Amino acid sequence: MADPVVAELNERFGTANTELSPDVIYELQSIMRLHELDVQDMFFKWESYCIKMDMDQPKMSMSTVRKFKQDLQDTLERANRAQALEQVKTEKRPGGTPRPGARNNSDVFGMLDGLTTPAARRAAKLGSARKTPMGTPIGSRLKNEPVSSPMKLEAQLDAMGVIPPSSFKDRPNAGEVIEILNENLPAPEPPIAPFGESRIKLTAASDLKKLGYKPLAMKLSEASEILDDRIDDFTSLVLEHYKLDESVFGSAAMQSTTEIVAVGRVASDTSEGKLNAASLVLETSRKLGGGFRVPLNVSKLKGYQFFPGQIVALRGTNTTGREFTVNEVIRMPLMGNAASTLETMAAHRERLRGGPDAMDTDDENPMPLNVIFASGPYTADDNLDFEPLHTFINEAADTYADAVILTGPFIDAEHPLIASGDFDLPEEAVYDPDAATLNTVFKYLISPALNRLVSANPHVTILLVPSVRDVIDRHVSWPQDPFPRKELGLHKSIKILGNPMTLSLNETLVGISSQDALWELKHEELIGGTVEDTNGLSRVARYLIEQRHYFPLFPPTDRTKLPKTGRQVIDGQAAPGAMLDISYLKLGEMVNVRPDVLIVPSALPPFAKVIESVLVINPGYLSQRKRAGTYARMTLYPPKLSEADAAPGGMLAHRIFERARVEVTRI
């Protein structure tokens, strides 16, 4: 009799016509014994491994199964280290009422914890020796980086005999380019000196004033109207784009044998668990369906892809009155491509020469634009040295970047040292210990690096986009107002934007959101049958473009299921999550046309892809808790101006995806 475990392994991991080899089966059984897994649990881990490695579940071979086994072993070791770290933090801060004058220098009842930095403790230790700061890379144009804070957690790990994380200087493969888009375009040499004037004209497409709403004041009636209006808006788009008659549209909840087109929001019939075919329901608008929810029967579809909050147009019938049988999913119409007049494009091309005194003497081809992107966190979990940020700024200075776009979190509320308040500011910091706040931390740990970049390249454009995890921002909900620059010590040329933000760098329309919509969409999506786009990364990025929104998921992913941060590992707390303010979700919509470039930092593997004529870039995180991360560089070549390529009316499509070389690089 055949072994039932082997049969199940062949069913889960084998192909339709080929069974697994005996060696592979033996290796899989070894994994099951080693990690105490059944076949189902191991298959789930295999799917997660494929998503992490951006693989489409290749044929199981000895090579792939051994790599899978090694990844499981590495994950187990990291979990053991995290457990040891948690034990350290627990032993260091036992429960109990704090005593006046205790080392933590807090108030008796802990009511002021987290509101100010423990600067008074620093004042008592001015005479003590400090650790030598990490140095800057040799040969950089930027010198004299600020003194770093001591790495307290590393010493604790040493005391327990746990292998501490390697230093930033010892990081492997520094500067390695892991992905290149449009490799046919050459990588130009950086200029030998900065340009005489800025080569970028910055224009905001989003209204920053609207982002300054009052958070945490959401009304149920307003939230309901926003969600309902979004369904009605897409109904009008479908009607106009496909030239349909209004009589074709109807309520999916109403019993009828007539085929109709129903527009609504995808939802689940339960608040717990992941969306599946059995829990799939369509939420109708009050105008067409009375706001009813009706179960969806998708058995007739060859393939489908849904996620909670997705606005869909479905053709089908409800003959029983109990469920809506879907015959066809109608594709949502896309927004138009961005375009400019020939005169505007010519003016932007001329701006690339960098002024009349610039050294660029090539009349035919001005030097391409150099724009680099990075996303926080900007320092590892065990210190506040911000070495990845300093190295990134050095790179921007050495290559004389035209624009540097940084998304938060800058001072991460989830950082273990920030959450505990157990850190010191540099010796040279001058401040009042009784009046110090976390703005003071930003002023002395982050602002100096950004200001030195301005000193090295006075005409660089630096843009900062906040995150809901930024502890210096009181506006904690998304969409998010720019954090105030007062007391941050930033150079006046550095601009702080909202989250999300749509703006133009010359002719290039750029959309930016620091909220990780991609990871949550990947986690919540429901895939069935055969779908057109089998690449998970491009598929979730396409959702943003098709739904015309920077965060189309609703409701957002449960906070307990989000990727772990340092604070979660130590204190067991949940991540902040999306923090959506539903009444103002309309501020998260894309403006008028598709952006040329879409910047969406995510915990998913970094990438640069062209999707529906949109250049989508996930630069990754500059620091990934215990190891160095990645950033992205876009080299944008000037447009070729030709009246023959212009549309009627003299409008010329930007076609950034054809003339931009993007490199995703390890810091």
Side-chain angles (χ1 to χ4, degrees):
M1 182 180 294
D3 189 340
V5 175
V6 174
E8 189 174 359
L9 286 173
N10 278 308
E11 180 183 353
R12 288 289 184 182
F13 296 93
T15 58
N17 301 320
T18 307
E19 293 186 348
L20 299 175
S21 65
D23 292 340
V24 171
I25 290 178
Y26 176 80
E27 200 69 29
L28 290 174
Q29 291 176 327
S30 173
I31 294 175
M32 293 170 61
R33 290 192 300 270
L34 182 63
H35 297 278
E36 298 180 352
L37 301 172
D38 57 22
V39 177
Q40 180 74 11
D41 291 339
M42 184 169 62
F43 181 70
F44 288 153
K45 291 183 179 295
W46 167 247
E47 284 188 321
S48 300
Y49 172 74
C50 291
I51 292 174
K52 181 173 70 173
M53 303 303 294
D54 194 18
M55 301 187 304
D56 294 325
Q57 296 195 5
K59 180 180 178 181
M60 186 68 77
S61 63
M62 283 300 295
S63 175
T64 56
V65 74
R66 284 172 177 169
K67 291 179 181 178
F68 173 51
K69 184 177 183 179
Q70 183 61 44
D71 181 77
L72 290 178
Q73 188 65 27
D74 293 342
T75 303
L76 180 62
E77 291 178 359
R78 287 194 296 269
N80 290 337
R81 292 178 186 177
Q83 185 177 4
L85 183 63
E86 182 176 0
Q87 183 179 352
V88 169
K89 300 297 291 184
T90 304
E91 292 176 356
K92 182 180 178 182
R93 296 181 180 82
T97 305
R99 301 183 305 275
R103 183 181 180 275
N104 64 1
N105 199 30
S106 178
D107 61 299
V108 174
F109 299 103
M111 297 175 62
L112 302 181
D113 286 351
L115 296 181
T116 60
T117 60
R121 185 178 68 252
R122 169 194 167 278
K125 298 192 298 182
L126 287 178
S128 62
R130 300 179 61 88
K131 292 189 177 181
T132 303
M134 296 291 184
T136 60
I138 297 176
S140 170
R141 292 189 174 97
L142 296 185
K143 303 296 181 182
N144 301 324
E145 293 180 2
V147 177
S148 59
S149 61
M151 294 188 294
K152 301 180 181 300
L153 296 185
E154 182 177 349
Q156 297 169 25
L157 291 174
D158 284 335
M160 287 197 62
V162 180
I163 301 175
S166 60
S167 69
F168 181 76
K169 285 185 177 181
D170 298 332
R171 67 193 185 280
N173 306 319
E176 177 189 7
V177 179
I178 61 177
E179 183 173 344
I180 301 178
L181 179 70
N182 289 336
E183 194 170 0
N184 57 300
L185 298 175
E189 291 293 328
I192 60 176
F195 289 93
E197 62 183 40
S198 176
R199 300 202 300 158
I200 287 181
K201 180 180 179 181
L202 195 65
T203 308
S206 299
D207 191 348
L208 281 176
K209 293 182 180 179
K210 292 183 178 179
L211 289 173
Y213 63 88
K214 184 179 180 180
L216 305 178
M218 186 167 48
K219 297 180 180 179
L220 185 60
S221 58
E222 293 178 354
S224 174
E225 289 177 2
I226 290 296
L227 295 174
D228 196 65
D229 290 346
R230 184 163 168 79
I231 299 176
D232 291 336
D233 291 343
F234 272 86
T235 302
S236 301
L237 289 173
V238 173
L239 186 148
E240 182 179 349
H241 180 78
Y242 291 102
K243 310 298 182 185
L244 300 176
D245 190 88
E246 290 188 8
S247 61
V248 175
F249 293 86
S251 171
M254 184 177 295
Q255 182 178 1
S256 174
T257 57
T258 304
E259 186 178 68
I260 63 168
V261 174
V263 180
R265 177 180 292 103
V266 173
S268 175
D269 64 359
T270 176
S271 60
E272 299 179 356
K274 190 176 178 181
L275 186 68
N276 57 68
S279 65
L280 196 61
V281 298
L282 184 72
E283 183 180 290
T284 63
S285 69
R286 285 177 288 190
K287 180 180 178 181
L288 287 179
F292 286 107
R293 284 186 168 189
V294 57
L296 293 179
N297 184 341
V298 293
S299 60
K300 292 187 177 181
L301 297 178
K302 293 182 179 179
Y304 54 85
Q305 50 192 58
F306 298 118
F307 64 87
Q310 180 182 11
I311 307 299
V312 293
L314 308 175
R315 192 186 300 273
T317 57
N318 186 348
T319 57
T320 63
R322 293 189 298 271
E323 65 179 17
F324 185 78
T325 302
V326 183
N327 299 325
E328 178 190 1
V329 178
I330 301 175
R331 286 194 67 175
M332 284 296 176
L334 300 176
M335 304 174 79
N337 287 316
S340 301
T341 62
L342 281 172
E343 293 78 9
T344 302
M345 298 281 278
H348 291 316
R349 182 184 174 93
E350 186 63 27
R351 185 174 289 105
L352 294 182
R353 303 193 186 282
D357 300 328
M359 293 172 289
D360 187 1
T361 58
D362 190 346
D363 294 334
E364 294 296 327
N365 297 302
M367 185 170 288
L369 212 59
N370 177 13
V371 184
I372 53 180
F373 312 95
S375 177
Y378 292 99
T379 188
D381 274 3
D382 62 333
N383 66 73
L384 291 176
D385 297 334
F386 287 92
E387 292 175 287
L389 176 64
H390 289 303
T391 303
F392 173 80
I393 292 299
N394 290 341
E395 176 65 19
D398 293 344
T399 58
Y400 291 116
D402 294 290
V404 176
I405 299 179
L406 304 175
T407 62
F410 296 96
I411 303 294
D412 189 3
E414 297 299 290
H415 192 287
L417 297 180
I418 295 295
S420 66
D422 190 10
F423 62 91
D424 295 317
L425 292 180
E427 291 280 0
E428 64 271 18
V430 179
Y431 62 96
D432 181 2
D434 296 328
T437 66
L438 288 165
N439 288 337
T440 312
V441 179
F442 188 102
K443 179 178 180 179
Y444 288 105
L445 295 184
I446 293 182
S447 294
L450 302 178
N451 294 339
R452 284 198 305 275
L453 176 57
V454 177
S455 299
N457 184 3
H459 300 293
V460 65
T461 298
I462 302 178
L463 306 177
L464 308 182
V465 179
S467 162
V468 295
R469 286 167 52 182
D470 268 309
V471 75
I472 62 172
D473 197 352
R474 296 181 180 179
H475 194 127
V476 296
S477 58
W478 190 96
Q480 190 175 12
D481 192 30
F483 52 78
R485 63 185 304 126
K486 185 179 180 181
E487 301 178 357
L488 296 183
L490 290 171
H491 191 276
K492 62 181 180 180
S493 65
I494 299 174
K495 296 176 175 58
I496 304 174
L497 308 178
N499 176 30
M501 186 68 189
T502 305
L503 53 90
S504 291
L505 304 178
N506 294 344
E507 79 278 9
T508 307
L509 188 65
V510 181
I512 313 168
S513 175
S514 66
Q515 191 60 43
D516 190 354
L518 298 185
W519 190 94
E520 296 196 32
L521 286 168
K522 183 65 182 152
H523 183 271
E524 299 293 339
E525 70 173 343
L526 169 64
I527 302 296
T530 304
V531 295
E532 294 181 5
D533 194 346
T534 58
N535 185 286
L537 298 179
S538 61
R539 187 171 60 245
V540 293
R542 190 185 304 274
Y543 291 148
L544 304 182
I545 300 170
E546 290 180 345
Q547 295 291 299
R548 308 179 177 208
H549 204 279
Y550 290 102
F551 197 93
L553 184 72
F554 183 81
T557 302
D558 186 348
R559 295 169 55 196
T560 60
K561 299 178 182 178
L562 294 174
K564 300 296 183 183
T565 65
R567 183 181 180 185
Q568 286 176 279
V569 171
I570 294 175
D571 298 333
Q573 298 187 13
M579 306 288 287
L580 298 183
D581 196 314
I582 303 173
S583 301
Y584 293 90
L585 279 185
K586 197 170 183 64
L587 297 176
E589 294 180 351
M590 297 180 183
V591 181
N592 299 328
V593 294
R594 274 176 278 172
D596 295 310
V597 180
L598 186 59
I599 309 301
V600 280
S602 173
L604 294 177
F607 65 86
K609 297 181 182 295
V610 178
I611 303 169
E612 301 292 355
S613 302
V614 178
L615 176 55
V616 183
I617 302 175
N618 169 21
Y621 298 152
L622 201 64
S623 178
Q624 298 183 357
R625 294 195 58 221
K626 298 300 182 186
R627 65 182 189 275
T630 57
Y631 67 94
R633 179 190 305 277
M634 181 178 72
T635 303
L636 181 60
Y637 283 81
K640 295 181 179 179
L641 306 180
S642 172
E643 293 185 3
D645 296 332
M651 301 297 289
L652 187 67
H654 298 163
R655 305 186 72 82
I656 300 299
F657 62 91
E658 290 183 346
R659 49 190 180 92
R661 173 188 172 100
V662 181
E663 298 173 336
V664 179
T665 309
R666 299 186 192 276
I667 187 64

